[in-house]
Structure formats: C-alpha cells, structure tokens
Amino acid sequence: MLERVSPTDINNIPGYREVLHNNIAYMGTTIKNDNNLPENVTNNSWTIDDGLTITSDDFVSLDTTQLSAARKPDGSLPDVTFMLPVTSSALYKYDLGYLADK
C-alpha cells in the first residue's frame, strides 16, 4: 500500500488515500503499509469476522491463464472462473461485491 505524496517526492509513505471494499486476499501478505481510515477498508476477506480462512477449495478455478484469454468476437471480455467462489464458500455468505449479479 506504499504511495508517494507527489510525483516529485521520492519518499514512500503508508497508503492513506485508498478505498478498499469487497476484496478477497488469497495467499501471500494480506495487506501492509496501510494507513487508511477504518471506514475505507471494509467488507474485505481480512476484515470480516477478524478475517476468513480461504483455501483453494473456495474457488471454481485458480487457473491464471484464463486472465489472458482472447475477447469474444463481439469484443466483450471472455467468461472466466478464475477466483470465482464456489457456492459452498463462506465468501458467498458475505457477498464480497461481485456475487450479487450472479
């Protein structure tokens, strides 16, 4: 979450301008160098119920090659299942943003 105060200032500071809602953190470091207001960091996998335990079983697919799939003939984005939660996942219970229209 490091950022700079201005394009000409080379010093990094903990991020404070971000708004993080409805995000999923899976593997690696959840978040660090975060100096955001608590109300700007809500309904994320690491802020719900003191954090959710997420495993590969929570997702339909973790195949990253889907992210570089070709667009459809009409120019729209391809259908991908990368990091799409399975319906039995606790992620569905909390509806982290993109599930409402599924």
Side-chain angles (χ1 to χ4, degrees):
M1 298 303 298
L2 290 175
E3 60 186 64
R4 294 194 173 165
V5 176
S6 73
T8 57
D9 185 338
I10 63 168
N11 297 302
N12 291 322
I13 60 170
Y16 68 95
R17 297 178 281 204
E18 290 73 28
V19 177
L20 303 170
H21 302 303
N22 305 320
N23 293 285
I24 297 172
Y26 174 66
M27 299 179 65
T29 303
T30 303
I31 192 169
K32 69 180 196 176
N33 296 311
D34 175 29
N35 195 27
N36 289 294
L37 297 172
E39 60 268 21
N40 286 351
V41 185
T42 63
N43 203 39
N44 300 295
S45 64
W46 64 93
T47 59
I48 296 172
D49 290 342
D50 297 322
L52 298 173
T53 300
I54 300 173
T55 70
S56 60
D57 292 334
D58 284 300
F59 303 103
V60 172
S61 173
L62 293 172
D63 177 12
T64 59
T65 62
Q66 293 182 40
L67 302 178
S68 58
R71 287 182 176 260
K72 295 178 183 178
D74 67 358
S76 62
L77 294 173
D79 296 319
V80 298
T81 58
F82 176 75
M83 287 190 76
L84 178 68
V86 295
T87 56
S88 59
S89 171
L91 297 168
Y92 251 88
K93 175 182 175 184
Y94 294 102
D95 188 10
L96 294 181
Y98 60 90
L99 301 175
D101 62 351
K102 298 288 179 199

